[in-house]
Amino acid sequence: IKYFDLLIVSLGFLIRIYLGSLESGVELSNFLTIQILIFSLFILVCKRKELFFSYDQLIKSNYSLNQLNFFSKLLLILNILNYFLYLFNESRFIDSKALEISFIIFLILITRYYFIILKKKIFDPIFIFFNDKFLIFFSIIYVLNFIVSFYGYY
């Protein structure tokens, strides 16, 4: 069934997070669950586009490029929208401005990743991350933002 494989892989990420929360005793938020599902689907859909730009003509795809383009745009928007809505959630895990700052950084990171896929036709997320200094820099800033806010500097 078309797209079923994408859902299975995404559910694997959700199961890992769920089991990790059970083992650690940390409550799993709806935001995190939805964000992991949407983000993993986004990465997987973008990765599936690689089949259309492969040099191996023997590869057949059950997907159409137009459908994958549509779903990648839709999932990009849903990722951003979900993160944005969490900013106004009363059960936020932190009261500082770290979430607002992280949203801006997340917006930069995910749109940069999307445009690399769109323009350069490179689809491996690991290769993209480690070969783009901009993504590495803003990922470090993203992590540092939370470290600084957890220690109460803002």
Side-chain angles (χ1 to χ4, degrees):
I1 301 174
K2 196 188 282 192
Y3 303 110
F4 188 68
D5 60 331
L6 300 174
L7 253 142
I8 293 296
V9 174
S10 291
L11 288 175
F13 286 108
L14 287 179
I15 290 169
R16 287 177 65 188
I17 294 296
Y18 177 73
L19 291 175
S21 73
L22 283 178
E23 183 65 28
S24 65
V26 175
E27 185 180 341
L28 189 61
S29 72
N30 291 335
F31 162 74
L32 184 63
T33 305
I34 293 168
Q35 193 66 26
I36 288 172
L37 180 65
I38 296 171
F39 189 73
S40 62
L41 283 171
F42 171 72
I43 297 292
L44 290 167
V45 166
C46 290
K47 181 89 171 107
R48 288 292 186 260
K49 292 165 93 175
E50 183 175 26
L51 297 175
F52 293 95
F53 299 97
S54 171
Y55 296 110
D56 186 0
Q57 298 300 320
L58 300 175
I59 296 177
K60 300 290 185 215
S61 176
N62 294 333
Y63 308 102
S64 78
L65 188 56
N66 287 336
Q67 288 175 337
L68 291 175
N69 284 334
F70 169 77
F71 282 119
S72 64
K73 289 174 190 170
L74 176 67
L75 291 166
L76 174 71
I77 292 167
L78 289 175
N79 266 291
I80 294 168
L81 183 63
N82 185 54
Y83 209 120
F84 180 74
L85 291 175
Y86 184 67
L87 296 177
F88 302 102
N89 191 339
E90 291 178 8
S91 63
R92 293 167 44 148
F93 71 94
I94 195 165
D95 289 330
S96 73
K97 295 295 179 192
L99 280 178
E100 287 80 359
I101 294 168
S102 73
F103 172 72
I104 293 167
I105 298 169
F106 175 77
L107 190 61
I108 292 168
L109 288 169
I110 198 166
T111 53
R112 171 77 174 184
Y113 177 81
Y114 180 74
F115 284 113
I116 288 172
I117 288 172
L118 208 60
K119 301 293 182 200
K120 295 185 179 180
K121 306 293 187 238
I122 301 170
F123 302 97
D124 182 18
I126 304 299
F127 180 83
I128 291 171
F129 179 78
F130 285 112
N131 288 289
D132 189 80
K133 291 180 175 125
F134 191 83
L135 286 176
I136 293 171
F137 174 75
F138 275 97
S139 296
I140 292 169
I141 298 297
Y142 187 84
V143 171
L144 288 175
N145 171 53
F146 283 111
I147 291 172
V148 168
S149 67
F150 285 141
Y151 287 104
Y153 291 110
Y154 61 84

